Amino acid sequence: MINGSQYLRRDLMIRLVRAFDSEEFEKELDRIPIKLRPRTEASSRCCIYRDRAVLKYRLMCLLGFVCEEETDEARTLESYYREALTRTENNRVESVTDGINSNNNGTNDLDIAKKDDDNIEDKDVKSAKNPDRFRTVNTPLSVCFAGCSSCPDARVVVTGNCRGCFARPCMYNCPKGAISIVNQVSTIDYSKCIKCGKCISVCPFNAIVRTTIPCEEACPVGAIHKDVTGHASIDFSKCIFCGKCFSQCPFGAVMERSQLIDILIELKRGTHLTAMIAPSASSQFPGTIEQLFTAVSKIGFSDVIEVALGAELTTRNEGEEFLERMSKGEHLMTTSCCPAYVELVRKHYPAFLKNVSDTPSPMLYAAALARKNDPESKLVFIGPCIAKRVEAKRNGIDYVLSFEELGAILAGKKIDVIACESWKLPRAAAATARNYSKSCGVTQAVLEEITADNPDLKLNSKFIDGIDKKTVNLLKLYESGKLPANFLEVMACGGGCVSGPTSLSK
Amino acid sequence: MKKIQLEICCGTACYILGASKLVGIEERLPEEWRDCVDVNILPCLDLCTSEKLDGAPFVRIDGAIVAKATPERILERIQNILEGDTLESANNLNDNNNIKVNEVDTENFNGGEK
């Protein structure tokens, strides 16, 4: 089942796309929250006014702003939209100067893409962890003040189910002696409680429960916390953009800075846009991947390419890199295609960065291929990932569209994937490359690539399927050799990209 | 006996608003029902106009629309039909769940009675 928060998010996107095509769009924008939450209907939060406020902030994020950027609460959505219009006009200039200017050999990705090489060489695309690739860009995530419910602190609570029984297993099993019986009810001394939960598991009446703050619980790196106002706030010096808070907040208060409106504007202007579709697309929509490509071209994209073609290059080069590193006597190499993982290493375990592959991600290779096909075209990566928004921005890829947003555009324009004919792919990407989106997919592809020619290679591949609070420690164990492995795949989302935060198939 | 026609709208709006979780429902039907139900995946049924968008995903069961369809609601409706209930129960189903689709498409509701 999809949940209410996903439903509202997608529903609003579809409405925005449909409204965009109407003539009165600018004027209508500020009416959307009122239309959706009329005074005559029940509210889903404390009152319709708060519902409307949250809808306004959602729309603000869909217009490409984050709630934290608000300086004037009275500013209209119409005014934000006008800023989006000028932003898209300036976009090309910014991405070229920002993203593609400093390569070691003085050329840039665009120049390289114009060369007539049959293949994109490794040097043509910048390394996955080149320092200037980590420059600060606009934050992709936002916590909506009006949406956040200021969840009560995480702790262990005795509920009314407690009967003050004679056995008192809670009291006898508490390792810290934090529980006593006061007035025939089990009572926790919070100065002693360590939230271990022993009492919860031994209570015969299920009287003790744990309260949680879902975003804090979900964050693998402790980057989201309640601030002085009691609302959640993200510390971007720690955030790895994995999007777990975004998926887990039951109030839908964590939002993405969207580029949906920019793409709608560009499409209306007739800008050349190349859609680069991530391998995880295969499980997102009904119908075949070829039908999906046709559907995307019907939106108005001038070209559509498979990112899996870039994954083929990642596979080949990552395989070579692995062999080279092993021949130099290194003991461990990890994958680098998951941007949230690379961000994790950079921000939380920089000493480990040397083990992360230098091979660029499939998106970056696909971008080079796309630029070769049409140097004038702006590039739009379409995938299920929030961290890719940052990777794209740092690498001069113009826009990122989530699968949810793509679905909303298709739904808004009434394009049915299953009613589309098949797109004629110039060449279908290898099955192993298309499989990148699933856990172990990268490992399989790379190992298949190198084991054929290197039968004596001693391979020991392991994978981390989903980043959590223990991942950094796990990496330390691999680094020290206490856990043996020479090839390590790390995916921030359990199950791989197909379970990404904005995946439709989750 | 005529099979129950279950039609799942897989237009993009319905699909991203939940129909993706309805595809493959035939495997969730109780064993003894499987021979009684035909499951069809259809392109957009054109019910997702902006006013009714929040009724998505839509399915049609023997001609009657079920809005905000979930596997549970579909199974409930099929059970009603198997137990001999008529169209009225389809409307009740929507009523009970506080969804106003009775007026969405009366033609289709009537179609179900033919």
Side-chain angles (χ1 to χ4, degrees):
Chain A
M1 264 317 288
I2 74 168
N3 66 39
S5 150
Q6 287 170 317
Y7 193 98
L8 175 70
R9 197 162 71 218
R10 294 172 190 175
D11 177 292
L12 192 63
M13 284 177 193
I14 298 174
R15 286 174 197 275
L16 184 75
V17 173
R18 288 187 179 163
F20 184 79
D21 287 332
S22 73
E23 289 195 356
E24 298 281 280
F25 177 63
E26 286 179 36
K27 295 207 175 72
E28 279 302 298
L29 256 176
D30 286 283
R31 293 188 187 280
I32 293 177
I34 300 164
K35 275 191 177 165
L36 282 180
R37 286 290 184 271
R39 266 194 292 218
T40 47
E41 280 184 24
S43 63
S44 30
R45 296 168 198 266
C46 56
C47 62
I48 48 157
Y49 305 103
R50 187 153 178 198
D51 280 350
R52 288 179 189 170
V54 178
L55 284 171
K56 182 191 167 179
Y57 287 113
R58 279 197 178 283
L59 286 163
M60 187 176 156
C61 289
L62 285 174
L63 294 173
F65 299 86
V66 290
C67 309
E68 290 81 354
E69 285 169 349
E70 180 186 71
T71 49
D72 175 10
E73 217 179 315
R75 189 173 171 189
T76 58
L77 291 168
E78 185 183 348
S79 142
Y80 285 114
Y81 172 63
R82 286 184 192 283
E83 192 178 326
L85 282 173
T86 28
R87 176 179 68 212
T88 46
E89 262 163 23
N90 301 329
N91 172 281
R92 183 86 242 183
V93 185
E94 183 210 335
S95 72
V96 171
T97 51
D98 269 20
I100 326 174
N101 54 1
S102 57
N103 204 326
N104 294 342
N105 49 17
T107 59
N108 69 38
D109 292 4
L110 275 180
D111 290 340
I112 290 149
K114 283 175 192 154
K115 285 196 306 191
D116 280 324
D117 294 1
D118 276 343
N119 291 314
I120 307 279
E121 296 300 327
D122 203 16
K123 63 175 170 46
D124 295 346
V125 185
K126 269 179 266 183
S127 150
K129 57 184 171 86
N130 182 330
D132 71 62
R133 294 294 186 186
F134 292 134
R135 68 197 177 82
T136 310
V137 295
N138 284 342
T139 55
L141 285 166
S142 164
V143 180
C144 172
F145 182 87
C148 178
S149 148
S150 315
C151 299
D153 285 337
R155 51 186 203 164
V156 176
V157 182
V158 181
T159 68
N161 277 5
C162 174
R163 300 179 50 77
C165 64
F166 181 68
R168 296 173 186 178
C170 54
M171 198 171 102
Y172 286 97
N173 282 285
C174 177
K176 295 290 171 187
I179 296 185
S180 54
I181 305 293
V182 180
N183 295 335
Q184 296 301 307
V185 174
S186 171
T187 306
I188 299 172
D189 176 352
Y190 289 107
S191 66
K192 293 179 183 164
C193 174
I194 54 163
K195 302 176 200 168
C196 68
K198 278 247 166 61
C199 53
I200 298 174
S201 59
V202 296
C203 175
F205 297 103
N206 297 323
I208 309 179
V209 297
R210 193 189 293 278
T211 60
T212 58
I213 304 180
C215 59
E216 285 190 12
E217 188 106 341
C219 180
V221 291
I224 189 163
H225 286 295
K226 284 167 51 166
D227 63 13
V228 284
T229 67
H231 295 86
S233 153
I234 299 172
D235 176 353
F236 285 100
S237 69
K238 292 182 178 171
C239 177
I240 60 169
F241 320 118
C242 64
K244 292 191 197 295
C245 54
F246 170 88
S247 307
Q248 292 302 319
C249 173
F251 286 87
V254 183
M255 302 176 182
E256 284 188 280
R257 183 199 297 270
S258 170
Q259 293 183 310
L260 178 63
I261 204 76
D262 305 53
I263 289 161
L264 292 175
I265 293 169
E266 296 275 25
L267 286 168
K268 201 173 211 172
R269 284 199 188 123
T271 314
H272 272 216
L273 293 178
T274 300
M276 309 194 296
I277 300 188
S280 41
S282 59
S283 56
Q284 300 294 314
F285 292 93
T288 63
I289 190 89
E290 288 83 2
Q291 285 176 303
L292 176 64
F293 277 38
T294 306
V296 172
S297 76
K298 278 188 176 171
I299 293 173
F301 284 91
S302 45
D303 197 10
V304 189
I305 70 161
E306 272 190 274
V307 170
L309 294 175
E312 291 178 353
L313 296 168
T314 300
T315 303
R316 197 184 67 200
N317 295 321
E318 199 154 303
E320 277 172 19
E321 184 188 357
F322 177 70
L323 294 174
E324 195 186 312
R325 280 171 178 253
M326 291 305 117
S327 70
K328 278 190 202 155
E330 291 184 25
H331 77 289
L332 175 66
M333 185 183 95
T334 81
T335 55
S336 64
C337 47
C338 172
Y341 160 62
V342 180
E343 201 71 13
L344 172 84
V345 175
R346 188 178 81 85
K347 285 182 175 159
H348 299 277
Y349 189 14
F352 194 73
L353 210 53
K354 63 178 192 302
N355 297 311
V356 179
S357 160
D358 284 314
T359 305
S361 71
M363 175 177 78
L364 301 189
Y365 280 122
L369 288 168
R371 289 202 179 98
K372 203 164 72 167
N373 290 345
D374 182 358
E376 300 306 314
S377 180
K378 289 191 184 183
L379 304 180
V380 183
F381 174 82
I382 304 179
C385 181
I386 293 175
K388 279 281 183 222
R389 290 189 188 272
V390 176
E391 190 194 349
K393 196 103 187 172
R394 285 173 178 160
N395 289 277
I397 289 163
D398 304 273
Y399 300 114
V400 172
L401 201 60
S402 71
F403 282 136
E404 278 186 345
E405 291 162 344
L406 172 64
I409 298 181
L410 292 171
K413 295 186 183 292
K414 295 221 164 219
I415 300 169
D416 279 2
V417 180
I418 45 172
C420 288
E421 63 275 28
S422 283
W423 178 262
K424 285 203 175 56
L425 291 172
R427 181 175 73 79
T432 49
R434 286 185 173 178
N435 214 20
Y436 255 57
S437 57
K438 299 186 183 113
S439 268
C440 279
V442 186
T443 310
Q444 268 173 12
V446 172
L447 296 194
E448 196 168 290
E449 175 85 13
I450 55 180
T451 42
D453 303 331
N454 302 277
D456 329 325
L457 190 71
K458 283 203 183 102
L459 257 173
N460 185 3
S461 69
K462 290 277 162 31
F463 68 96
I464 297 179
D465 186 24
I467 288 177
D468 58 24
K469 291 180 163 55
K470 293 175 186 144
T471 302
V472 169
N473 278 335
L474 213 51
L475 293 178
K476 285 182 178 156
L477 294 177
Y478 281 114
E479 164 75 359
S480 66
K482 281 181 186 145
L483 285 175
N486 53 14
F487 186 91
L488 179 66
E489 174 183 323
V490 189
M491 289 285 191
C493 301
C497 307
V498 284
S499 333
T502 57
S503 165
L504 294 168
S505 62
K506 219 171 20 162
Chain B
M1 195 186 115
K2 200 168 147 272
K3 283 191 177 184
I4 295 171
Q5 297 298 313
L6 167 59
E7 296 166 301
I8 299 172
C9 174
C10 273
T12 310
C14 281
Y15 193 80
I16 69 171
L17 292 175
S20 58
K21 312 291 179 206
L22 305 176
V23 176
I25 191 168
E26 50 270 36
E27 281 150 35
R28 295 185 54 180
L29 294 174
E31 196 78 47
E32 61 275 19
W33 291 10
R34 290 192 190 174
D35 293 335
C36 318
V37 183
D38 258 345
V39 182
N40 294 299
I41 306 285
L42 295 187
C44 186
L45 297 175
D46 245 346
L47 296 167
C48 53
T49 56
S50 291
E51 299 75 48
K52 302 294 171 199
L53 184 61
D54 52 7
F58 294 98
V59 301
R60 205 155 53 190
I61 305 178
D62 272 358
I65 306 291
V66 176
K68 289 238 163 168
T70 59
E72 293 68 31
R73 304 194 64 217
I74 292 174
L75 295 184
E76 191 183 337
R77 176 69 197 134
I78 292 175
Q79 184 165 12
N80 288 345
I81 295 178
L82 289 172
E83 287 169 0
D85 281 7
T86 52
L87 190 64
E88 221 161 274
S89 65
N91 288 334
N92 287 339
L93 184 62
N94 283 326
D95 277 350
N96 292 343
N97 289 278
N98 203 13
I99 294 165
K100 297 166 287 180
V101 284
N102 307 34
E103 72 274 19
V104 167
D105 199 327
T106 39
E107 265 174 41
N108 276 309
F109 279 111
N110 295 336
E113 275 192 325
K114 275 173 203 163

